Amino acid sequence: MSLSTPMATHINELPVETIDHIMSYLPLADRKSASLVCHRWSEQAFTYRYLASVRLRLKEQSLEDKRVIVEALQASWRMYRNVMVDFGNTGIDLVLILVILNKFGEWIEVFGSQTSFTSWQLKEMLKRLPKIRRLVVNVINERESYVTPEEFPVLESLVDFRSTDAIFEIPGMNAYRMMPSLRNLSLCFQRYVTGNTFIALSSVSSQLKMLEVFADFSRAPIELLDLRQLEILKLWGTNFFIHNEALRQLFMRVPMLSVLFLHVRMSTSLLQVICDNCPQLTSFGFIADRMEHRALFALHKLTNLKILLIDGCLKYHMIDGCRPLPKVETFCIYWHKKHIDLERFVKQLHYMLPNVKTFKVIGTRSKEMDHLLMHHIGKMFTKIIKLTIADFEFPPEDLILDDGFDWIGDLVNVEQLTLSGIPLRKIGCQRGCSKVTRLRLENFDYLLGENLLHVAEIFPNLRFLKIYRCTLITAKDVESLQEVMPNCVINFVERKR
C-alpha cells in the first residue's frame, strides 16, 4: 500500500466565499495592501460589501487633473458607495460630476460636494442617486434657475440631509414629499429664517431625530415646530439669546431629547425649564454669561448627563453650592476671563464634576492664568485620562511664551494629551510626565523645531506622536526626534507655506 502526499491547495483555488470571509477580518489599511497582490484579490478586497466604509474623495484644481480622474473612474470596476467631490463652481465641473454619477450613481449611498449648485443642477444630480441615504450639498439662491418642487425626484432612502437653506426657499417646497424618510437635517441659513423656509422645515420636523441649524429665528416661531421625535438638537446663531421665551416653550415639547447644544446666552429660568423637561439629556452645551448665583444648581436633575460643554465666562458664583454630577465624564470649558481665585474656583468645579476623565480647555489668554489654571486642574482632577488644551485666537506679542508647561508634571494619570494653537516657542518642564503615551501637537505657529527634542525628555514613555501643521517644524526636525524615540510612532503633517 503506497501513501501519496496530498497536493497543496493554492490560496487562489479557494472558493470566492472563503476569500471573502478572510477579507472580512482585515481592517481597511490591510485590505488595501492585500488588493495589490493580484487582480483577484483587488476585486475581493473592495467588493460592494466593503466599499461601505471607504470614502472616495475627489479634490483637484486643474481641468487636466479632473479629466484624468474621470477617465480613471470610468475604467474602474469598483462600486463606490461613498463619494465626496470638490471641483469648484464652474459649469464644466457639473458636467464632470454628472459623468461620475452616471458611472456610480446607482450604488452611491453617501454623496457630498463643496461645490455650490443651482436647484436645477441639484435636480439633475438627484435623478442619478436612487439609493442616496446621506446628502451634503450647497445650493445657490438663483431664482431664474428655480425648478418647481414637483420636479425634484422623491428620495425614498434619504435619511441624512445637510445643506444651505436655498433649497427650502423654493416657493411651495414640500420637503416631506421629497424626503419622506428624512431623520437627520442640518441647515446653514445665510440670514434669518423666511416664511417659505419655515413651512418646509415644519413639514418634516415631526419625523426628525436630529436637527442642526445655524440661523436667526427672530422672524420665525421656532416654538411651533413639532419635534416630538427629536433626540439631538444643535442651534447656532448670534441672535438666539433674545428668544428665551420661545425656547422655553420649545423645550416643554421635546420629550425624547438626549443631546442638546445651544449657542445661547443661557438664562437661569431657561436652564431650569430644560432640566425640568429634558431629564434624559446625556450631552449638554451652552453659554454661561451673566447667570445668577447658583445658576447651575438645576443641572443635578440631569441624572444621565455624561458630557458637559460650557462656553462664556463661567464664574464661581454660578457653580457655588451646586451638587455633584457623578456621571459626567467629559467636560469642556471655553475660557475667556481671568478669575480672582483660581484655586477656589477649580476646587468647586471638581466638587461638581468629581469623575471627569476627558477634560478640554479652550481659549486661555493670560500667561499667569494658563499656568495656575492647569496647575490646579492637574492637582485636583486626578481621574483625567484625556486632556486637551487649545487656543485658537491669534495672540499679541507679549503673550508668546519662551518656555512653559511646568504644570505637565501635575498630570498624574493623563495618558492622552493634545496641545493646540498655544503661543509657545519651547516646550519646557522641570518634571516629566511618564503616563502620557499619546501626544498631539497641533497648529503651533511659534514652536521652534530645534526645541522639539525636549518632547523625548518630558514624555519618556510616548508611543504615538502627531505633529500637525506646526509652522516652524520641518521633516528634518522630526527625523532627529525619531532617532531618540525609536519606539514612538510619529505622524507628521507639514503646514504648507
Side-chain angles (χ1 to χ4, degrees):
M1 180 178 181
S2 63
L3 297 176
S4 59
T5 303
M7 294 290 291
T9 301
H10 192 278
I11 189 170
N12 280 342
E13 295 177 2
L14 295 174
V16 171
E17 294 78 11
T18 303
I19 295 181
D20 184 70
H21 183 70
I22 295 172
M23 291 290 181
S24 69
Y25 288 95
L26 300 181
L28 177 59
D30 291 338
R31 274 193 281 120
K32 185 176 180 180
S33 298
S35 70
L36 302 176
V37 173
C38 62
H39 181 73
R40 186 186 184 193
W41 283 29
S42 179
E43 291 182 347
Q44 290 297 121
F46 290 102
T47 59
Y48 180 80
R49 169 188 177 185
Y50 298 125
L51 284 171
S53 59
V54 176
R55 169 177 289 182
L56 174 64
R57 183 160 191 171
L58 308 174
K59 184 177 181 180
E60 295 296 335
Q61 300 300 322
S62 71
L63 183 60
E64 184 60 32
D65 286 338
K66 297 170 190 175
R67 287 174 175 164
V68 170
I69 288 174
V70 171
E71 290 175 2
L73 290 176
Q74 285 185 315
S76 174
W77 50 264
R78 292 179 180 173
M79 296 175 283
Y80 288 106
R81 302 166 65 180
N82 186 334
V83 178
M84 173 64 75
V85 178
D86 183 16
F87 280 166
N89 292 306
T90 64
I92 188 66
D93 294 328
L94 175 65
V95 174
L96 297 179
I97 290 175
L98 292 181
V99 169
I100 294 171
L101 296 185
N102 286 335
K103 171 71 176 181
F104 303 107
E106 63 179 298
W107 303 303
I108 292 177
E109 298 174 355
V110 180
F111 180 81
S113 176
Q114 297 181 20
T115 301
S116 295
F117 305 100
T118 65
S119 56
W120 179 88
Q121 292 171 336
L122 179 62
K123 179 200 70 172
E124 292 301 310
M125 292 166 50
L126 296 180
K127 288 164 56 177
R128 294 164 169 81
L129 296 168
K131 293 183 179 180
I132 191 69
R133 293 181 54 81
R134 186 173 190 265
L135 181 64
V136 182
V137 292
N138 294 321
V139 183
I140 302 173
N141 188 358
E142 293 185 1
R143 296 189 178 279
E144 63 274 10
S145 66
Y146 269 167
V147 297
T148 64
E150 290 73 22
E151 292 182 77
F152 280 98
V154 176
L155 307 176
E156 295 283 358
S157 301
L158 187 65
V159 176
D160 191 323
F161 181 55
R162 300 167 187 265
S163 179
T164 56
D165 62 319
I167 187 173
F168 275 34
E169 288 188 351
I170 299 175
M173 168 56 71
N174 187 335
Y176 179 74
R177 184 203 72 85
M178 179 181 170
M179 300 172 276
S181 302
L182 188 66
R183 295 296 179 267
N184 305 323
L185 177 62
S186 179
L187 295 174
C188 180
F189 293 80
Q190 304 301 315
R191 52 189 184 280
Y192 56 83
V193 179
T194 64
N196 287 333
T197 300
F198 187 78
I199 292 172
L201 179 58
S202 298
S203 68
V204 293
S205 62
S206 63
Q207 66 194 49
L208 295 178
K209 296 290 186 180
M210 189 281 288
L211 175 62
E212 180 177 21
V213 183
F214 186 97
D216 172 7
F217 269 96
S218 61
R219 304 189 186 185
I222 186 175
E223 69 276 12
L224 298 183
L225 291 176
D226 183 357
L227 300 173
R228 70 186 76 175
Q229 301 295 328
L230 201 67
E231 298 176 0
I232 301 173
L233 177 61
K234 302 176 182 180
L235 296 178
W236 317 98
T238 56
N239 292 322
F240 275 130
F241 72 96
I242 64 174
H243 301 294
N244 274 260
E245 181 56 39
L247 290 172
R248 277 194 286 270
Q249 295 183 41
L250 174 68
F251 290 119
M252 290 180 181
R253 299 185 292 106
V254 282
M256 307 295 290
L257 202 63
S258 61
V259 177
L260 174 61
F261 294 106
L262 296 174
H263 193 257
V264 175
R265 287 178 172 84
M266 183 70 67
S267 68
T268 304
S269 58
L270 177 58
L271 181 62
Q272 185 72 47
V273 169
I274 293 173
C275 294
D276 286 341
N277 292 277
C278 308
Q280 67 282 3
L281 282 179
T282 59
S283 302
F284 189 19
F286 57 91
I287 300 175
D289 281 347
R290 309 186 192 115
M291 297 189 75
E292 302 169 3
H293 179 69
R294 301 183 67 188
L296 303 191
F297 182 80
L299 289 176
H300 78 272
K301 298 179 181 180
L302 305 179
T303 55
N304 297 313
L305 194 63
K306 297 180 180 179
I307 300 174
L308 179 62
L309 286 72
I310 299 181
D311 197 348
C313 185
L314 181 63
K315 297 182 179 179
Y316 176 81
H317 74 267
M318 301 178 190
I319 60 175
D320 182 27
C322 291
R323 296 182 185 178
L325 304 175
K327 290 189 178 181
V328 174
E329 295 187 349
T330 299
F331 178 63
C332 177
I333 182 171
Y334 289 75
W335 199 267
H336 293 287
K337 294 183 180 180
K338 183 176 180 179
H339 286 262
I340 297 176
D341 190 343
L342 280 174
E343 182 176 7
R344 182 185 181 209
F345 173 80
V346 176
K347 184 176 181 180
Q348 178 59 30
L349 193 63
H350 176 255
Y351 175 78
M352 179 179 165
L353 305 168
N355 297 316
V356 169
K357 297 179 180 178
T358 300
F359 202 118
K360 188 171 185 178
V361 182
I362 299 177
T364 54
R365 287 283 69 191
S366 162
K367 297 180 183 179
E368 295 79 9
M369 185 183 69
D370 285 348
H371 290 289
L372 285 174
L373 175 65
M374 298 315 306
H375 169 74
H376 293 312
I377 288 176
K379 284 291 188 181
M380 297 180 192
F381 285 84
T382 57
K383 295 182 181 180
I384 295 177
I385 296 176
K386 296 174 63 177
L387 177 63
T388 297
I389 313 296
D391 191 341
F392 297 114
E393 299 181 22
F394 189 79
E397 186 65 27
D398 62 343
L399 284 183
I400 299 174
L401 310 178
D402 292 320
D403 202 346
F405 293 167
D406 283 337
W407 49 265
I408 286 180
D410 298 321
L411 307 179
V412 292
N413 291 312
V414 172
E415 298 176 4
Q416 301 181 41
L417 178 62
T418 297
L419 306 173
S420 179
I422 299 174
L424 189 71
R425 291 192 177 98
K426 174 184 175 183
I427 298 179
C429 180
Q430 294 181 355
R431 294 175 296 158
C433 191
S434 60
K435 285 290 187 72
V436 173
T437 58
R438 299 180 67 87
L439 174 65
R440 294 171 64 99
L441 301 177
E442 303 175 348
N443 302 304
F444 276 70
D445 289 330
Y446 305 97
L447 182 62
L448 301 176
E450 62 197 54
N451 294 323
L452 194 60
L453 291 176
H454 291 284
V455 169
E457 302 171 3
I458 300 171
F459 306 103
N461 295 317
L462 208 59
R463 292 294 174 264
F464 176 82
L465 170 63
K466 180 165 186 176
I467 303 173
Y468 178 76
R469 299 185 66 187
C470 295
T471 306
L472 302 179
I473 295 178
T474 65
K476 186 175 181 180
D477 298 323
V478 176
E479 291 175 4
S480 298
L481 180 62
Q482 186 73 81
E483 290 177 2
V484 298
M485 301 182 70
N487 296 323
C488 179
V489 176
I490 302 180
N491 184 340
F492 176 53
V493 179
E494 190 171 7
R495 170 171 284 177
K496 295 181 180 180
R497 303 182 185 181

